């Protein structure tokens, strides 16, 4: 690739089969909207321009892509793919490079495949356009590509307009194309709507160029890479395909998955080597796991960082801002949010740590909670190194527990505790001998008189 690149992403369709108020291309796969998967892949090629063609629900799409440097153009009428691409012509005025044409609901096309398309565009035979083809198990109503052994295209035809012999061809058109900007818009200006659907078809530029004596070429990719989404069922299938690929990659990189099919990753999950992940673990966005970490079963992590040698779960929840330092441990039914658990520190059972810092080697007893919210504002709790917090304690923030301090079980701590001190904050226990026996006798007598 030597010429500048622009990408035109078609995202104007209504997506009525999704039956959703959310625009189709914004439905997520692995925690990221489909359209932004594509934007990220295009971004790997450092394009000079990326333009999304929007239509129905344009406000949602515009808001989603604006932070990523993507411009938008409006297709007011849905008159076909050729018409959609023409909407980007003015935005690309003066651009002298290669244009990739992509689809917002075909989100998993890799940067490597895009590069192959552009490289083929600049091969010695200089095709007018490059089409990305695939061979699905069921060609169905896809447009067909008739090409020779070298990939030179003899004919492209939409299914509605194809004859029986053409429909028997298994090489299908994904809709994705690459062309020089100078060729693309000149050819699109000649496309007509004289077809069964009355639409302006993008693939018609291939036959128009052929009529000028300039053949186009097709390259192939696997069907799963160009799978599109038009319904929630198709979205689920693509999610499953993405997860399967990510699981395989994780294991190839040195991660042990006890039951791979039960682990769900986010698009940005980062995993070190010799990590063990047990059954039914879910990663939300923003999780980084270092080497030799164990994530036990039924844990949920999002926006968290876990350092080497740490242990999480089972049944633990790490929310955004949770940090486990080296060899730290959180156990079953422990929740953390905006909290740091220091090196070697432990919170083994039934604990909530929010807006808190826990020093190295500290031990947080079962049932401990940091009371970080007063109904209006959040406050921090600081627990020093080597401190011990007894079971069923409530630490009412803002509060500091000094290094080496001990908080007695069942305490409600509302003031700072100095280093190495013992804090007790609970009612005094009293015992009245024989009281329970006399009480039961009185109540039995009272019940018998009724």
């Amino acid at each position: 690739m030597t010429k500048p690149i622009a990408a035109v992403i078609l995202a104007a369709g209504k997506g009525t089969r999704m039956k959703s108020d959310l625009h189709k291309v914004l439905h997520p796969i692995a925690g990221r909207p489909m359209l932004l998967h594509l934007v990220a892949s295009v971004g790997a090629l450092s394009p000079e321009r990326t333009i999304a063609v929007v239509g129905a629900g344009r406000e949602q799409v515009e808001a989603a892509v604006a932070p990523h440097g993507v411009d938008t153009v409006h297709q007011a009428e849905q008159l076909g793919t050729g018409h959609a691409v023409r909407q980007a012509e003015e935005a690309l005025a003066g651009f002298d490079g290669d244009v990739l044409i992509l689809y917002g609901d075909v989100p998993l096309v890799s940067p490597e495949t895009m590069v192959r398309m552009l490289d083929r565009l600049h091969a010695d035979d200089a095709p007018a356009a490059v089409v990305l083809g695939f061979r699905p198990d069921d060609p169905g109503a896809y447009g067909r590509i008739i090409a020779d052994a070298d990939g030179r295209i003899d004919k492209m035809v939409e299914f509605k307009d194809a004859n029986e012999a053409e429909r028997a061809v298994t090489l299908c058109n994904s809709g994705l194309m690459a062309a020089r900007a100078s060729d693309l818009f000149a050819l699109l200006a000649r496309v007509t709507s004289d077809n069964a659907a009355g639409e302006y078809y993008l693939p018609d530029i291939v036959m128009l160029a052929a009529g000028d004596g300039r053949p186009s070429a097709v390259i192939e990719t696997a069907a799963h890479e160009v799978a599109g989404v038009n319904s929630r069922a198709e979205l689920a299938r693509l999610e499953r395909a993405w997860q399967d690929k990510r699981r395989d990659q994780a294991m190839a990189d040195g991660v042990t998955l006890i039951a791979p099919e039960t682990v769900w990753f986010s698009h940005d999950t980062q995993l070190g080597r010799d990590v063990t992940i047990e059954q039914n673990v879910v990663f939300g966005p923003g999780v980084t796991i270092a080497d030799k970490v164990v994530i036990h079963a039924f844990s949920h992590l999002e926006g968290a960082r876990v350092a080497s040698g740490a242990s999480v779960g089972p049944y633990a929840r790490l929310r955004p801002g949770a940090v486990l330092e080296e060899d730290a441990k959180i156990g079953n039914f422990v929740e953390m949010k905006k909290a740091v658990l220091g090196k070697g520190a432990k919170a083994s059972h039934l604990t909530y740590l929010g807006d808190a810092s826990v020093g190295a080697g500290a031990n947080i007893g079962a049932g401990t909670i940091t009371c970080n919210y007063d109904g209006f504002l959040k406050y921090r709790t600081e627990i020093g190194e080597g401190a011990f917090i007894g079971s069923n304690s409530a630490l009412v923030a803002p509060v500091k527990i000094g290094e080496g301090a001990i908080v007695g079980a069942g305490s409600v701590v509302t003031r700072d505790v100095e280093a190495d001190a013992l804090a007790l904050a609970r009612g005094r226990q009293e015992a009245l001998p024989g009281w329970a026996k006399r009480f039961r006798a009185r109540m039995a007598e009272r019940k018998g008189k009724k």
Side-chain angles (χ1 to χ4, degrees), residues 62-83:
E62 289 167 349
V65 300
H68 301 274
V70 177
D71 298 320
T72 58
V73 295
H74 185 215
Q75 184 187 22
E77 294 182 272
Q78 311 294 298
L79 301 178
T81 52
H83 178 260

Side-chain angles (χ1 to χ4, degrees), residues 25-76:
V25 300
L26 300 183
H27 282 262
I29 292 173
R32 172 193 270 172
M34 286 191 287
L35 178 58
L36 297 189
H37 275 277
L38 200 57
V39 168
S41 294
V42 169
L45 277 59
S46 301
E48 188 173 297
R49 297 285 304 279
T50 301
I51 298 169
V53 181
V54 299
R58 59 184 292 192
E59 297 82 5
Q60 293 183 21
V61 178
E62 289 167 349
V65 300
H68 301 274
V70 177
D71 298 320
T72 58
V73 295
H74 185 215
Q75 184 187 22

Side-chain angles (χ1 to χ4, degrees), residues 25 29-30 60 69 131 133 145 164 212 305 307 348 355 388:
V25 300
I29 292 173
Q60 293 183 21
V131 179
I145 302 173
E164 187 174 346
D212 298 338
R305 178 172 63 83
S348 297
D355 296 283
F388 180 90

